[in-house]
């Protein structure tokens, strides 16, 4: 776009602060800012601004509970039948894994990318990336394959992750089967829709959430790469669950047999007030509703067996058919906003450090992709076997609780699922 068109766009989209800064800077700096502006999608900027003004309303009246398959309630033969269907996909090299590691890990308060965090498990401390590799390697051995493994990074942590993995020789994983790709970013904007410039005159942006994965896989050619390899099913998991079993043949078998394009291993709520998102159905579509969005009577509601009605919870253990991924990559997921403090240059080019939240960061969430489907296969997992996240520095879901669960699980050698 020509410079005069960019300036025109700044005027149309009310970017008064940046226009003022442009008036006040030298030629060189002006050139730099103009270059930065080439990356701005002004239509999207307007959408973000509209999103700030809208109060997202959740129509909980339409919510219906969802059914899951409880592996403890099926016969051994049924279980084996599903697992064999899943295992066939694996043995035929039609399965890939993606690890989402573009997050900032703010709650953990660790400086580097979360995957480079070392957890003090017995008998030997391990990095989170290493734990993922261990799990994949066990499956590779069992099924005599090498599963293609893709790692989603962010602009902020990509170089560090790539370097870390290289320095650790990919923890013994065949490098030819590993692909790194960067997720997208969205600009930060103030309450009145202004973009922010940092002290180097760069437009301030932030990673656009784990739901970025679908578009990023499309844009970065990952989907195409998978299709070339003949991949039909893709497991997408987080970096921070030390009990994550990416190679879930039961889940895959259930999805295939039930004719679903998406599937998830859930965890059932410990108690009605546990703060995790509930899987449910709304207007015939699959949804995840955050704890904070459910009214008290729905939080407390029980079914005829006395189980929590909206107890089936989403914990980032998701499986997608390649067709589902292609379908989602062409859709626009909704934005979720967070109000935070960000430094910025004022109209005179002076750096301001705000004391109160002054701008919004926008994210897409992976589970918002579910609503493009009217069916999902859910297999109920167990905390002690499937879910030990490293989220907080201390207390619940911390390195201490993850270490305990990890050690208990591996001590028992209940490596039934890989
Ligand atoms: P969380 O939403 O728990 O975020 O991520 P986080 O970055 O680990 O931690 P906090 O919230 O800042 O404390 C769940 C998974 O999604 C990935 C994370 O790396 C983790 O595997 N994620 C999150 C991304 O890949 N990109 C993002 O933009 C956000």
């Amino acid at each position: 776009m020509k410079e005069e068109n960019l300036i025109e766009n700044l005027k149309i989209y009310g970017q008064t602060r940046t226009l003022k800064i442009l008036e006040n800077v030298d030629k060189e700096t002006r050139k730099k800012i103009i270059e930065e502006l080439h990356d701005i999608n002004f239509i999207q900027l307007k959408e973000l601004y509209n999103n700030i003004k809208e109060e997202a309303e959740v129509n909980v009246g339409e919510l219906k509970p969802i059914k899951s398959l409880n592996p403890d309630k099926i016969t051994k033969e049924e279980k084996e039948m599903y697992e064999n269907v899943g295992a066939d996909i694996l043995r035929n090299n039609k399965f890939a894994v993606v690890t989402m590691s573009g997050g900032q890990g703010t709650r953990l308060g660790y400086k580097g990318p979360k995957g480079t965090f070392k957890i003090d498990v017995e008998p030997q401390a391990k990095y989170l990336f290493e734990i993922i590799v261990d799990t994949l390697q066990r499956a590779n051995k069992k099924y005599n394959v090498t599963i293609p493994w893709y790692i989603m990074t962010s602009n902020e942590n990509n170089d560090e992750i790539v370097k870390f993995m290289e320095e650790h020789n990919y923890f013994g994983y065949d490098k030819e089967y590993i692909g790194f790709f960067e997720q997208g970013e969205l600009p930060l904007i103030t309450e009145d829709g202004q973009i922010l410039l940092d002290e180097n005159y760069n437009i301030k942006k932030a990673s656009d959430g784990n739901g970025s994965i679908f578009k990023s896989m499309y844009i970065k050619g990952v989907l195409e790469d998978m299709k070339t390899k003949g991949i039909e099913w893709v497991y997408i998991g987080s970096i921070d669950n030390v009990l994550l079993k990416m190679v879930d043949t039961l889940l895959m078998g259930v999805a295939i047999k039930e004719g679903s394009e998406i599937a998830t291993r859930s965890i059932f709520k410990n108690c009605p007030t546990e703060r995790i998102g509930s899987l449910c159905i709304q207007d015939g579509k699959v949804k995840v509703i955050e704890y904070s969005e459910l009214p008290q009577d729905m939080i407390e509601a029980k079914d005829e067996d006395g189980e929590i009605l909206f107890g089936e919870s989403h914990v980032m253990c998701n499986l997608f058919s390649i067709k589902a991924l292609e379908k989602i990559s062409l859709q626009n997921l909704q934005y979720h906003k967070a109000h935070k403090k960000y430094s910025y240059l004022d109209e005179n080019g002076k750096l301001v450090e705000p004391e109160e939240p002054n701008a919004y960061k926008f994210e897409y969430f992976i589970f918002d992709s579910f609503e493009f489907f009217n069916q999902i296969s859910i297999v109920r997992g167990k905390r002690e076997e499937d879910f030990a996240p490293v989220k907080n520095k201390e207390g619940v879901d911390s390195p201490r609780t993850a270490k305990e669960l990890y050690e208990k699980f591996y001590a028992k050698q209940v490596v039934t699922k890989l």
Side-chain angles (χ1 to χ4, degrees):
M1 201 186 283
K2 284 190 187 150
E3 179 170 332
E4 60 256 42
N5 295 343
L6 278 173
I7 300 293
E8 195 50 34
N9 266 343
L10 287 178
K11 288 182 186 156
I12 295 171
Y13 290 93
Q15 297 299 319
T16 47
R17 186 188 290 154
T18 309
L19 283 163
K20 268 269 180 300
I21 293 175
L22 279 169
E23 277 173 22
N24 295 335
V25 290
D26 59 40
K27 231 171 130 190
E28 202 57 16
T29 313
R30 183 180 169 91
K31 204 171 143 216
K32 155 108 209 226
I33 300 174
I34 295 290
E35 252 167 48
E36 280 278 301
L37 287 169
H38 274 104
D39 283 346
I40 287 284
N41 174 344
F42 285 94
I43 296 168
Q44 187 180 49
L45 206 61
K46 179 108 192 286
E47 274 173 24
L48 296 177
Y49 180 49
N50 289 342
N51 181 272
I52 294 179
K53 293 186 293 177
E54 278 167 19
E55 242 348 288
E57 264 195 37
V58 188
N59 177 8
V60 290
E62 301 297 324
L63 290 187
K64 295 203 173 69
I66 202 159
K67 292 236 171 323
S68 72
L69 182 142
N70 185 344
D72 290 345
K73 296 198 172 153
I74 56 173
T75 62
K76 195 168 156 258
E77 289 72 30
E78 271 179 296
K79 197 165 169 242
E80 275 172 15
M81 180 274 295
Y82 286 129
E83 284 173 346
N84 286 336
V85 172
D88 265 356
I89 294 288
L90 260 148
R91 289 197 193 94
N92 289 307
N93 297 299
K94 292 179 179 170
F95 176 74
V97 167
V98 186
T99 300
M100 301 183 294
S101 51
Q104 289 185 303
T106 332
R107 286 167 287 169
L108 183 61
Y110 166 69
K111 264 205 160 147
K114 232 189 214 180
T116 69
F117 180 78
K118 205 170 197 176
I119 178 159
D120 177 25
V121 289
E122 295 288 351
Q124 193 199 330
K126 283 182 189 287
Y127 296 102
L128 291 179
F129 271 127
E130 192 176 359
I131 291 176
I132 302 265
V133 171
D134 286 353
T135 310
L136 290 175
Q137 292 286 39
R138 278 195 300 275
N140 286 344
K141 204 165 154 205
K142 179 168 177 186
Y143 297 100
N144 195 24
V145 292
T146 305
I147 297 168
W149 179 34
Y150 301 83
I151 300 169
M152 182 169 83
T153 63
S154 68
N155 178 32
E156 205 176 309
N157 70 19
N158 180 71
D159 294 354
E160 210 175 329
I161 289 178
V162 171
K163 190 160 164 256
F164 173 86
M165 292 299 281
E166 202 181 314
E167 277 172 6
H168 289 85
N169 194 24
Y170 308 93
F171 298 103
Y173 212 83
D174 187 341
K175 193 181 151 208
E176 296 299 308
Y177 287 79
I178 303 182
F180 297 93
F181 67 100
E182 254 180 67
Q183 69 172 92
E185 291 189 309
L186 284 167
L188 306 173
I189 58 171
T190 61
E191 287 94 343
D192 55 353
Q194 304 289 318
I195 53 171
L196 303 176
L197 293 180
D198 70 15
E199 57 271 50
N200 299 316
Y201 300 96
N202 295 314
I203 293 169
K204 287 196 116 167
K205 296 181 192 139
S207 292
D208 51 0
N210 53 37
S212 168
I213 194 155
F214 307 104
K215 280 237 167 10
S216 302
M217 282 174 75
Y218 176 75
I219 293 167
K220 302 287 166 147
V222 174
L223 277 183
E224 206 42 50
D225 188 48
M226 286 177 172
K227 273 167 51 189
T228 313
K229 292 190 166 99
I231 303 297
E232 289 180 5
W233 288 92
V234 181
Y235 188 97
I236 300 182
S238 51
I239 181 66
D240 53 11
N241 174 3
V242 299
L243 289 183
L244 187 70
K245 317 291 185 306
M246 287 88 63
V247 190
D248 194 338
T249 49
L250 175 62
L251 184 65
M252 196 147 50
V254 172
I256 292 169
K257 282 290 176 190
E258 289 183 349
S260 301
E261 288 184 81
I262 56 170
T264 193
R265 194 172 270 267
S266 67
I267 292 294
F268 203 77
K269 279 192 176 181
N270 257 337
C271 63
T273 48
E274 188 176 2
R275 296 183 163 270
I276 39 180
S278 298
L279 283 149
C280 44
I281 294 283
Q282 185 172 48
D283 289 332
K285 305 280 174 209
V286 183
K287 287 280 264 191
V288 172
I289 303 289
E290 303 271 23
Y291 165 80
S292 54
E293 294 169 339
L294 274 180
Q296 198 58 28
D297 56 333
M298 283 179 148
I299 290 176
E300 304 282 350
K302 301 270 168 69
D303 66 12
E304 60 272 19
D305 300 324
E307 275 201 322
I308 302 166
L309 194 63
F310 292 97
E312 221 62 72
S313 303
H314 173 255
V315 284
M316 303 267 173
C317 307
N318 298 320
L319 181 72
F320 297 84
S321 73
I322 194 90
K323 286 201 185 105
L325 291 176
E326 282 190 294
K327 176 173 164 177
I328 306 163
S329 71
L330 303 174
Q331 306 288 335
N332 291 323
L333 302 190
Q334 69 183 88
Y335 300 114
H336 296 262
K337 56 179 183 279
H339 204 200
K340 298 189 172 189
K341 279 193 280 185
Y342 294 101
S343 61
Y344 64 97
L345 291 185
D346 70 9
E347 292 183 348
N348 306 310
K350 200 170 145 267
L351 189 71
V352 181
E353 296 280 357
E355 306 214 328
E356 297 297 326
N358 62 318
Y360 288 91
K361 172 188 188 214
F362 298 89
E363 288 188 302
Y364 305 109
F365 290 169
I366 192 164
F367 59 68
D368 282 332
S369 64
F370 296 172
E371 65 189 47
F372 300 112
F373 302 86
N374 43 27
Q375 182 182 322
I376 186 170
S377 290
I378 305 176
V379 172
R380 191 181 289 182
K382 292 193 171 99
R383 275 160 214 271
E384 63 278 19
E385 289 181 15
D386 298 295
F387 189 52
V390 180
K391 294 286 179 200
N392 306 307
K393 210 177 163 84
E394 277 154 15
V396 285
D397 300 340
S398 63
R400 187 183 54 78
T401 57
K403 167 184 157 70
E404 273 170 27
L405 285 160
Y406 179 95
E407 286 169 0
K408 246 192 218 159
F409 177 80
Y410 286 103
K412 270 209 254 157
Q413 297 281 308
V414 274
V415 194
T416 46
K417 289 173 266 134
L418 288 155

